Amino acid sequence: SKIPGSETSVDAENDIDSLKTQMSQLLGHDDLRNNSQQNVITDISQRYIVITGSTGFVGCHLIHAALDTGLLPVCIVRSHAPMKRQHACLQRWGLDISSNSGCIPDYSKMHCVTGDVSHGMCGLSAEDLTYLKRLRPVAVIHAAAKVHNHLEYRSLKTDN
């Protein structure tokens, strides 16, 4: 017999594989579903990472941690003014980005592009897609999520 709710975890695993395949194609990398050692960052000169959900609490702190360790985040932001929105969110979560704050890390090294993970190819324009491919990011951190306590997984899975 089937355990109630067990289909949700299977659906979620399939969705994660689908996102990994889509991001692999998007960025021109080998299949990211392969969890072998080839996906481990060994060359710090290749230091761009893509972050979805960068405007949320976790995403903003991922940006901070990435910059603090020498990685250069490229944020996919749902906004027609992505850098402005990202800066506002960093400030909302208590991360001081002012140039005179003397803060480390240097947020001017952060890149932002307009996109939406609920759309095909993450809603990126052809120009931004070309830009991301040229950077050859070493990792994608998927922190975007649509959260609602009263909706079923089916209605949330497109964004998640």
Side-chain angles (χ1 to χ4, degrees):
S1 73
K2 210 175 202 184
I3 299 171
S6 64
E7 66 281 349
T8 300
S9 63
V10 171
D11 285 347
E13 286 176 29
N14 290 337
D15 291 339
I16 290 168
D17 278 346
S18 175
L19 179 66
K20 286 179 180 179
T21 299
Q22 187 178 37
M23 292 305 290
S24 296
Q25 293 167 347
L26 180 83
L27 300 173
H29 286 298
D30 293 332
D31 195 340
L32 292 174
R33 289 177 297 165
N34 179 354
N35 292 324
S36 70
Q37 291 295 322
Q38 71 181 1
N39 292 325
V40 176
I41 300 172
T42 57
D43 182 0
I44 195 65
S45 69
Q46 296 181 5
R47 51 193 188 156
Y48 289 98
I49 61 169
V50 174
I51 301 175
T52 69
S54 62
T55 59
F57 178 82
V58 171
C60 284
H61 286 82
L62 283 170
I63 291 168
H64 182 88
L67 288 167
D68 199 35
T69 59
L71 295 168
L72 301 173
V74 181
C75 308
I76 298 176
V77 181
R78 276 187 316 206
S79 175
H80 292 294
M83 187 64 80
K84 183 178 181 180
R85 178 154 188 247
Q86 188 63 64
H87 280 176
C89 292
L90 286 163
Q91 290 173 330
R92 181 181 67 214
W93 296 116
L95 299 167
D96 185 3
I97 62 168
S98 61
S99 59
N100 61 358
S101 70
C103 70
I104 296 175
D106 180 0
Y107 287 100
S108 69
K109 295 180 180 178
M110 170 183 68
H111 302 248
C112 294
V113 295
T114 297
D116 186 338
V117 297
S118 67
H119 295 86
M121 300 306 269
C122 292
L124 295 167
S125 69
E127 181 182 335
D128 286 338
L129 180 56
T130 300
Y131 171 71
L132 282 178
K133 285 182 177 181
R134 195 176 71 244
L135 293 178
R136 302 257 327 136
V138 295
V140 176
I141 302 174
H142 180 48
K146 180 178 181 181
V147 181
H148 194 287
N149 294 339
H150 301 291
L151 296 177
E152 293 183 20
Y153 176 73
R154 280 178 287 191
S155 64
L156 303 174
K157 80 180 213 176
T158 302
D159 295 344
N160 295 331

